[in-house]
Amino acid sequence: MTTTHAPAQTATRSADVPIAVVTGASRGIGAATARRLAADGYEVAVHYGTNEESAARVIAQIHKDGGRAFAFAADLSEPGIDRSFWKSYDAAAGTRRGAPVYALIHNAGVTIRGLIEDFPGEDFHRQQQINVTAPFLITQAGLPRLAEGGRIVNLSSGVTRIAMADVIGYAMTKGAIDAFTHTLAQHLGPRKITVNAVAPGIIDTDMNASWLRGNEQARGEILPQVALGYIGEPAEVADVVAFLVSADARYITGQTIDVTGGSRL
Ligand code: NAP
């Protein structure tokens, strides 16, 4: 097992730069997290599913800003994702192959909407596979790669606290993520690896575009329920993930941090 540390501002050699793996970093919260962690001095492994061009834009932006990053693809809905994910990662890692992974951010996810009365079983299983089974198996297969004293951060959701009938299946996946976070934190404590989650509220990403963007009626219904009175941006979640990854958060583990702008307090 390997020990590494949060980045020193002075790290100049590639081998000194800790690696952060961010799943679903081609868009939305994941892309913002990748950019923020690169700015904080990590070499970011930008995972994506199908949007190679978006992932390439994230990488180009990080490089333009003087950071380090590389991209790799893996479909989290596929069985055998534990093997395919790390195989794809290794193929893209170049000289960093075999280096310890300091931070693993399980961000990729899907929301399939529908009331329980008309929710297809196959959609239920697909959502579970991407949001729950894949993070579990990727972590399981990745445990020997994780640096002692490293970080795991999982993306949960405010809907584990706030009942929303049309996302019942999705809310269940995020409830599982909270249990995963809490339980794994205890298990990995002896390795000084912290495991935490962030639970965003409604954030302006593609996930909500179909019902939120340009829909003044929907915004009008949502905003009075948010204490801070506005819809969140991806960076507002990414900043909290970055804090949990940072050395400042070293004594926080097993927690889910609400990042909903005070929704339905
Ligand atoms: P998003 O904009 O829809 O982006 C989703 C990301 O996940 C993309 O990078 C996508 O990759 C990846 N992904 C989806 N399905 C995949 C699959 N089968 N295989 C591999 N990658 C896959 O999502 P977001 O809004 O940023 O959400 C990020 C996380 O925050 C999710 O876990 C979500 O549940 C959680 N969250 C979001 C909100 C919100 O309001 N936005 C609220 C609470 C929680 P490709 O595009 O490359 O396929």
Side-chain angles (χ1 to χ4, degrees), residues 110-121 123-129 131-132 157 159-160 164-177:
V110 290
T111 306
I112 306 178
R113 292 175 180 273
L115 298 174
I116 190 169
E117 287 83 355
D118 42 41
F119 203 84
D123 283 355
F124 185 87
H125 291 304
R126 178 178 164 77
Q127 193 165 229
Q128 283 281 335
Q129 164 69 27
N131 293 4
V132 180
S157 171
V159 297
T160 58
M164 294 176 76
D166 69 333
V167 290
I168 185 168
Y170 172 75
M172 290 172 69
T173 69
K174 296 304 185 178
I177 284 299

Side-chain angles (χ1 to χ4, degrees), residues 80-216:
I81 182 62
D82 46 339
R83 287 182 301 281
S84 56
F85 183 90
W86 291 112
K87 192 174 166 194
S88 177
Y89 170 88
D90 283 338
T95 58
R96 303 310 308 277
R97 185 175 174 173
V101 171
Y102 180 75
L104 176 56
I105 317 299
H106 288 297
N107 165 82
V110 290
T111 306
I112 306 178
R113 292 175 180 273
L115 298 174
I116 190 169
E117 287 83 355
D118 42 41
F119 203 84
E122 64 192 53
D123 283 355
F124 185 87
H125 291 304
R126 178 178 164 77
Q127 193 165 229
Q128 283 281 335
Q129 164 69 27
I130 295 169
N131 293 4
V132 180
T133 308
F136 178 88
L137 294 178
I138 290 165
T139 304
Q140 181 185 57
L143 284 175
R145 298 169 180 261
L146 293 184
E148 306 305 285
R151 304 281 188 262
I152 296 175
V153 182
N154 303 314
L155 267 289
S156 178
S157 171
V159 297
T160 58
R161 170 176 64 83
I162 302 164
M164 294 176 76
D166 69 333
V167 290
I168 185 168
Y170 172 75
M172 290 172 69
T173 69
K174 296 304 185 178
I177 284 299
D178 286 350
F180 177 54
T181 299
H182 180 76
T183 309
L184 192 62
Q186 187 187 47
H187 185 61
L188 294 182
R191 290 179 60 186
K192 304 290 181 285
I193 296 172
T194 70
V195 187
N196 292 292
V198 294
I202 297 169
I203 307 298
D204 188 4
T205 68
D206 294 345
M207 186 171 269
N208 297 315
S210 63
W211 65 273
L212 189 65
R213 286 193 189 145
N215 185 344
E216 288 313 313

Side-chain angles (χ1 to χ4, degrees), residues 50-83:
T50 53
N51 271 294
E52 189 176 358
E53 278 186 21
S54 303
R57 277 196 294 276
V58 174
I59 298 284
Q61 185 68 54
I62 289 172
H63 287 168
K64 186 166 166 269
D65 295 340
R68 298 171 195 261
F70 60 89
F72 70 105
D75 182 352
L76 302 194
S77 70
E78 292 287 316
I81 182 62
D82 46 339
R83 287 182 301 281

